Amino acid sequence: MKFISIDKNDWAKGIEASRKTYTLFGPVKDKNGFLIKKLEKDILPEMDYTDCVMSAKSVIFPQTEKMLVTTLDESQKDHHIMKRPETDMSPRAVLGIRPYDAKAMELVKLNFDTEDYRDPYWCDAYEATTFVGLAINRPGPFDFSTSAGTGPFEEAGLDVLLADLDDKYLVKILTDKGEAFISACGFDTVVDEKESGMLFDVLKKEAEKTIVSHIDTGKLKEKTILELHEAPFWDDLAFSCINCGTCTYVCPTCWCFDLQDETKHKSSIRIRNWDTCMSPLFTRHATGHNPRSTKTQRVRQRFMHKLKYFLDKYDQGIMCVGCGRCVKSCPVNIDIREVCNTLNSYEKQN
Ligand code: SF4
Ligand code: SF4
């Protein structure tokens, strides 16, 4: 494992140098908080942020994405034949991504890159991207990442991990992609591997110790789907939900989408838009039938997918990295930590 040190006075110069090769994304302050956005010329990532309202998922899975395009103009070659449009898949880097959000990408990948089917849009974007993580020295009150199978210094899904040491970053280079990015920045102050590794461990333990929020997941696997599906608590859990979908849009592991065909004059496109399982329209069939027409059914679907179906299907933990965004953003205080603990401790009464 290679470690380097970056003096913060050299940070901006290095990041600017990387633009020759990479399109950059990173945390930027917006009127509603921090968002991960494309870093236009001269804009640097704001690395001293605490929480980011939205995760980096839109860098790989945009809110709206053109899938296919064609022309209806019969004088044109290949009219009415839908084709994937030219898309920029040159190298890009996400700077300052939180470790649990990079881990979330790995969970989402299980859905978009399978043995049976590879989603070329998601996979091509993922492969083009280098993830430069920023460890969380002081986790916030909503963070329950350590009990969701990840943590403030998680390395899964990252190419580089930075630890903020006030006047410098201690940098752990995790992959070849990470090495290429660091080299494009011109950062080359190699530091002692053993000493740096030990410092990372100390910082990790200190950060993990401050996490006060936890969930219990240990018994989820032993419950049957039917037992949980038919449990009596779903109406109560769903009662206050207003189906706004916020919890799904802010979630780094939610991937529901909808496909739409649009035609304007002689141009026709097929687009993919983020959608939400919390909306009744999401599952309404063309016949008008809706298999999840009630709010309780939709709330149950969201939590069963995250806490039971995904766990059973992939055996790689729950479909939640414990970032706490949905807890913080829900306007009626529906809390996945409470739902998870309710499912985990539920015993069917005979
Ligand atoms: S954010 Fe809260 S109210 Fe909105 S859909 Fe999610 S659980 Fe329901
Ligand atoms: S379910 Fe909530 S806490 Fe879990 S990853 Fe999604 S937004 Fe974060």
Side-chain angles (χ1 to χ4, degrees), residues 317-337:
I318 55 174
M319 195 180 125
C320 165
V321 291
C323 69
R325 287 187 182 90
C326 60
V327 183
K328 195 174 174 187
S329 309
C330 176
V332 297
N333 298 326
I334 291 178
D335 187 331
I336 192 171
R337 297 170 298 182

Side-chain angles (χ1 to χ4, degrees), residues 188-322:
D188 56 4
T189 310
V190 178
V191 288
D192 183 75
E193 184 180 330
K194 196 168 165 212
E195 211 176 279
S196 305
M198 277 161 48
L199 184 50
F200 253 92
D201 288 345
V202 170
L203 293 169
K204 180 177 175 201
K205 277 191 194 126
E206 278 176 6
E208 287 180 353
K209 252 194 327 212
T210 65
I211 292 184
V212 289
S213 183
H214 301 279
I215 52 170
D216 296 320
T217 59
K219 291 184 182 168
L220 289 172
K221 201 118 196 242
E222 66 197 46
K223 322 272 175 200
T224 66
I225 286 179
L226 204 55
E227 181 181 353
L228 292 176
H229 196 268
E230 292 181 342
F233 47 69
W234 291 111
D235 278 332
D236 282 346
L237 285 178
F239 178 74
S240 58
C241 175
I242 56 170
N243 289 146
C244 64
T246 303
C247 51
T248 56
Y249 297 131
V250 299
C251 179
T253 68
C254 278
W255 61 63
C256 287
F257 61 81
D258 177 46
L259 292 177
Q260 251 175 283
D261 289 340
E262 299 282 351
T263 299
K264 189 176 177 192
H265 306 306
K266 295 283 184 189
S267 300
S268 187
I269 56 170
R270 174 163 296 170
I271 47 177
R272 164 157 84 181
N273 298 314
W274 286 5
D275 204 341
T276 171
C277 60
M278 301 303 256
S279 156
L281 266 184
F282 181 62
T283 43
R284 197 172 76 184
H285 297 179
T287 59
H289 169 66
N290 193 338
R292 292 203 288 268
S293 60
T294 70
K295 179 167 72 172
T296 299
Q297 289 171 323
R298 295 191 290 278
V299 170
R300 178 174 58 196
Q301 164 62 24
R302 174 163 190 266
F303 290 118
M304 284 291 280
H305 188 198
K306 293 210 166 288
L307 304 170
K308 183 61 183 164
Y309 305 146
F310 185 89
L311 176 78
D312 285 1
K313 182 169 180 183
Y314 295 111
D315 199 17
Q316 299 207 26
I318 55 174
M319 195 180 125
C320 165
V321 291

Side-chain angles (χ1 to χ4, degrees), residues 44-70:
L44 286 168
E46 298 192 41
M47 300 290 274
D48 55 355
Y49 76 105
T50 44
D51 296 328
C52 211
V53 183
M54 303 290 281
S55 76
K57 83 173 165 185
S58 63
V59 177
I60 310 299
F61 176 39
Q63 256 171 293
T64 296
E65 183 172 22
K66 271 188 205 169
M67 315 288 284
L68 299 168
V69 292
T70 192

